[in-house]
């Protein structure tokens, strides 16, 4: 590949180590450091392990599906581009805006979380000051270049990975009595006669939480468009990342389950404003490390900044790609001299900041609506990956291509994308089962939890009816890798 790239194109500057850490860092965050505790408390260690393993299997198939698409056709538009080519322009339009909205609002969420965390050290400092400082940091890292984002994300991820490895090593030595006294045995893991607790609906609730925890792995599909060598770097990152993520999550839950009884009330208090009782903190303190709370607070601060940084990067690139495809205003397709979509970056930062300010000035209802809708959007993104891969592979064969032409081939097709699609539907439907399984339907709860589903459908059908967009026949799907469609 030539080192010279057109002035009007994104820079292919992300190395293999950046790609691996972008996907790894996108998935290891508050879901592991905080939500794992409440998951064990709700469903017991057995229920938590089963839920995370099931979601992990689904994510494996989604990652291999995305890997096949991103290695054959690396594009920063990723979901939007694949949807427009292999399903219909209307589907690509809806998926692209869904993805952009999801991560733009996530920036606001991470800004809000970061200001809460920083007050652990500076309790009387103004929230507005920290929100602007953190937003300015994210903006600056993304405005420099794709490599600037990749490098910052690499080091953010290193901090998280090092913390998890230290936790696992320390936890295993404590379980076997090598450190911290005598072996703990199975008493906590088998508390009450079973590692499972809370019944079916508790398991479904943890299933949802596990899904949110794993969201972020799909960012590698966006980053592929700026990878130095996507046909080598993307498959390598996918192979390494999935197993590491699954290992980290499953082993962490096993360690917590052995060392902390699921009846411990502190496991229920794993909110951002009560970081002293993160399950990681509880284990570190059990080992006699008095500084655990402060260290974990710093690690979780780096995690939320990492998530905001990734959200800024990915949503900016997808908005840029949609502008190039005619699915967003042309102004968002402008690049700076460093190859950064500067207008798309500014727009994304503004939306993130506006959502944060709505919460800051007391409009918590609006902010919670945005945040709940954003969470559901992640599952819709995953649905889009499964649908796009299924259609791509069928179109590839229908047009006379051989599977040997694929630089990376997803295994278990068509089972993989179909299985992932079904589990995504289960996750979406089960988002808030309590709202419609009680004696009285909670209409407000239903609306808050599921509002993004009808919104996605309305955007999809609205574009379809106004533009006359139709499902693309398999033999007419655009499989060229050198340019985007102009539909």
């Amino acid at each position: 590949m030539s080192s010279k790239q057109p002035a009007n194109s994104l820079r292919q500057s992300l190395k293999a180590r950046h790609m691996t850490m972008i996907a790894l860092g996108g998935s290891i965050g508050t879901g592991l450091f905080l939500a794992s505790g409440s998951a064990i408390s709700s469903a017991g260690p057995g229920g938590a392990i089963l839920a995370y393993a099931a979601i992990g299997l689904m994510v494996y198939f989604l990652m291999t599906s995305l890997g096949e698409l991103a290695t054959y056709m690396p594009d920063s538009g990723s979901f939007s581009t694949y949807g427009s080519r292999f399903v219909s322009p209307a589907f690509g339009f809806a998926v692209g805006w869904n993805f952009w909205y999801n991560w733009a609002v996530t920036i606001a969420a991470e800004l809000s979380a970061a200001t809460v965390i920083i007050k652990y050290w500076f309790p009387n400092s103004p929230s507005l000051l920290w929100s602007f400082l953190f937003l300015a940091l994210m903006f600056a890292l993304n405005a420099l270049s794709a490599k600037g984002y990749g490098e910052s994300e690499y080091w953010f991820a290193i901090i998280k990975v090092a913390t998890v490895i230290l936790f696992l090593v320390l936890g295993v030595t404590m379980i076997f009595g090598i450190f911290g006294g005598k072996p703990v045995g199975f008493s906590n893991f088998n508390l009450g006669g079973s590692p499972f607790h809370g019944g079916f609906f508790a398991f479904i609730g943890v299933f949802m939480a596990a899904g949110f925890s794993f969201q972020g792995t799909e960012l590698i599909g966006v980053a592929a468009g700026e990878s130095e060598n996507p046909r080598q770097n993307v498959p390598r990152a996918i192979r390494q990342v999935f197993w590491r993520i699954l290992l980290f999550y499953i082993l962490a839950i096993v360690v917590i389950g052995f060392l902390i009884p699921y009846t411990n009330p502190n496991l229920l208090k794993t909110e951002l404003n009560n970081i002293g009782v993160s399950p990681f903190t509880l284990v570190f303190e059990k080992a006699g490390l008095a500084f655990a709370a402060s260290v974990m607070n710093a690690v979780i601060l780096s995690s939320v900044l990492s998530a905001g940084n990734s959200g800024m990067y990915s949503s900016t690139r997808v908005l840029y790609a949609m502008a190039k495809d005619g699915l967003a205003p042309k102004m968002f397709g402008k690049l700076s001299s460093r190859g950064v979509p500067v207008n798309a970056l500014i727009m994304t930062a503004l939306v993130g900041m506006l959502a944060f300010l709505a919460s800051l000035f007391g409009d918590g209802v609006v902010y919670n609506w945005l945040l709940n809708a954003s969470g559901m959007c992640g599952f819709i993104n995953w649905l889009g990956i499964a649908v796009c891969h299924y259609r791509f592979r069928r179109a590839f064969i229908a047009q006379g291509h051989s599977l040997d032409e694929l630089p990376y081939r997803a295994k278990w097709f068509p089972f993989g994308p179909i299985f992932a699609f079904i589990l995504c539907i289960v996750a979406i439907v089960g988002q808030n089962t309590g709202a419609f399984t009680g004696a009285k339907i909670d209409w407000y709860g239903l609306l808050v939890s599921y509002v993004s589903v009808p919104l996605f459908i309305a955007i999809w059908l609205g574009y379809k009816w106004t533009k006359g967009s139709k499902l693309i026949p398999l033999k007419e799907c655009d499989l060229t890798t050198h340019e985007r469609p102009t539909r």
Side-chain angles (χ1 to χ4, degrees):
M1 181 181 291
S2 171
S3 61
K4 292 185 178 180
Q5 293 155 3
N8 62 343
S9 69
L10 296 173
R11 306 290 193 263
Q12 280 68 53
S13 57
L14 295 177
K15 300 181 184 295
R17 65 184 179 90
H18 295 139
M19 298 294 289
T20 299
M21 286 303 184
I22 285 170
L24 194 60
S27 300
I28 297 177
T30 54
L32 177 60
F33 296 131
L34 297 176
S36 56
S38 57
I40 293 171
S41 179
S42 300
I49 289 172
L50 186 60
Y52 275 85
I55 287 290
L57 183 61
M58 178 184 77
V59 171
Y60 169 74
F61 288 123
L62 287 170
M63 288 286 281
T64 55
S65 290
L66 185 58
E68 183 171 302
L69 291 166
T71 49
Y72 180 79
M73 190 180 296
D75 192 289
S76 290
S78 192
F79 316 95
S80 173
T81 302
Y82 303 147
S84 296
R85 289 190 178 211
F86 311 135
V87 185
S88 73
F91 186 76
F93 179 82
V95 168
W97 282 107
N98 176 80
F99 182 90
W100 177 78
Y101 164 79
N102 178 23
W103 283 99
V105 174
T106 297
I107 295 169
E110 304 307 338
L111 285 171
S112 181
T115 58
V116 172
I117 294 168
I118 201 72
K119 289 189 176 183
Y120 177 86
W121 295 291
F122 306 103
N124 298 318
S125 57
S127 297
L128 191 61
L129 170 65
W130 292 113
S131 68
F132 272 114
L133 286 175
F134 290 138
L135 182 68
L137 175 63
M138 294 176 195
F139 186 90
L141 290 172
N142 279 273
L144 286 173
S145 64
K147 190 174 182 179
Y149 157 74
E151 199 65 34
S152 60
E153 192 57 27
Y154 176 82
W155 291 107
F156 276 140
I158 285 287
I159 294 171
K160 291 186 280 189
V161 170
T163 302
V164 175
I165 291 174
L166 175 63
F167 171 80
L168 293 177
V169 171
L170 182 64
V172 170
T173 60
M174 291 171 67
I175 289 171
F176 289 101
I178 300 171
F179 183 85
K182 60 183 180 180
V184 296
F186 286 86
S187 58
N188 288 334
F189 201 86
N190 205 31
L191 199 66
S194 170
F196 296 90
H197 167 69
F200 176 74
F201 285 111
F203 171 78
I204 289 295
V206 174
F207 189 79
M208 301 300 104
F212 290 123
S213 298
F214 279 101
Q215 286 180 14
T217 51
E218 73 277 4
L219 298 184
I220 197 169
V222 177
E226 292 178 273
S227 170
E228 281 186 342
N229 191 346
R231 296 201 167 189
Q232 288 184 11
N233 293 346
V234 173
R236 183 185 307 164
I238 285 174
R239 282 192 295 267
Q240 293 176 354
V241 164
F242 169 75
W243 294 111
R244 289 179 187 178
I245 290 172
L246 191 62
L247 195 66
F248 284 168
Y249 272 94
I250 297 300
L251 281 183
I253 291 172
V254 169
V255 167
I256 296 166
F258 270 106
L259 296 175
I260 309 294
Y262 70 76
T263 54
N264 187 323
N266 284 329
L267 289 178
L268 288 172
K269 301 175 183 175
T270 49
E271 294 88 14
L272 286 165
N273 58 356
N274 201 356
I275 206 62
V277 289
S278 159
F280 277 58
T281 303
L282 293 175
V283 171
F284 283 139
E285 288 180 341
K286 190 178 179 71
L289 303 178
F291 56 86
S294 189
V295 171
M296 280 309 304
N297 205 65
V299 170
I300 294 172
L301 177 60
S302 75
S303 294
V304 298
L305 292 177
S306 169
N309 195 35
S310 294
M312 185 85 76
Y313 170 81
S314 57
S315 52
T316 295
R317 265 45 180 194
V318 168
L319 183 57
Y320 161 80
M322 286 196 295
K324 300 295 285 185
D325 285 347
L327 302 178
K330 289 183 179 181
M331 62 178 289
F332 297 127
K334 180 182 178 181
L335 293 174
S336 71
S337 59
R338 295 176 178 268
V340 174
V342 61
N343 288 340
L345 178 61
I346 292 171
M347 181 63 185
T348 301
L350 286 174
V351 170
M353 199 62 205
L354 285 173
F356 173 80
L357 289 172
S359 175
L360 181 67
F361 289 116
D363 199 359
V365 174
V366 172
Y367 184 73
N368 286 332
W369 270 58
L370 290 169
L371 198 57
N372 275 279
S374 172
M376 180 71 85
C377 288
F379 288 105
I380 295 175
N381 291 334
W382 284 356
L383 271 178
I385 294 172
V387 171
C388 289
H389 178 229
Y390 182 79
R391 291 273 304 173
F392 165 75
R393 178 71 77 87
R394 289 189 62 200
F396 199 74
I397 297 300
Q399 294 185 27
H401 291 278
S402 167
L403 295 182
D404 293 333
E405 298 174 42
L406 293 173
Y408 173 83
R409 188 190 312 175
K411 298 178 181 178
W412 294 80
F413 183 90
F415 173 78
I418 293 174
F419 175 79
F421 180 89
I422 292 171
L423 275 194
C424 278
I425 292 293
V426 171
I428 288 173
V429 173
Q431 183 70 27
N432 187 2
T433 52
F436 54 83
T437 55
K440 188 177 180 181
I441 295 177
D442 178 6
W443 292 107
Y444 178 78
L446 278 175
L447 189 60
V448 170
S449 300
Y450 297 98
V451 66
S452 56
V453 175
L455 182 62
F456 173 80
I457 294 172
I459 293 172
W460 181 6
L461 296 181
Y463 187 93
K464 175 182 173 63
W465 291 333
T466 56
K467 301 291 186 179
S469 173
K470 297 181 180 179
L471 181 69
I472 303 171
L474 293 175
K475 290 191 175 182
E476 296 179 19
C477 288
D478 186 356
L479 300 178
T480 56
T481 60
H482 55 84
E483 62 182 359
R484 298 184 180 90
T486 56
R487 291 176 183 272

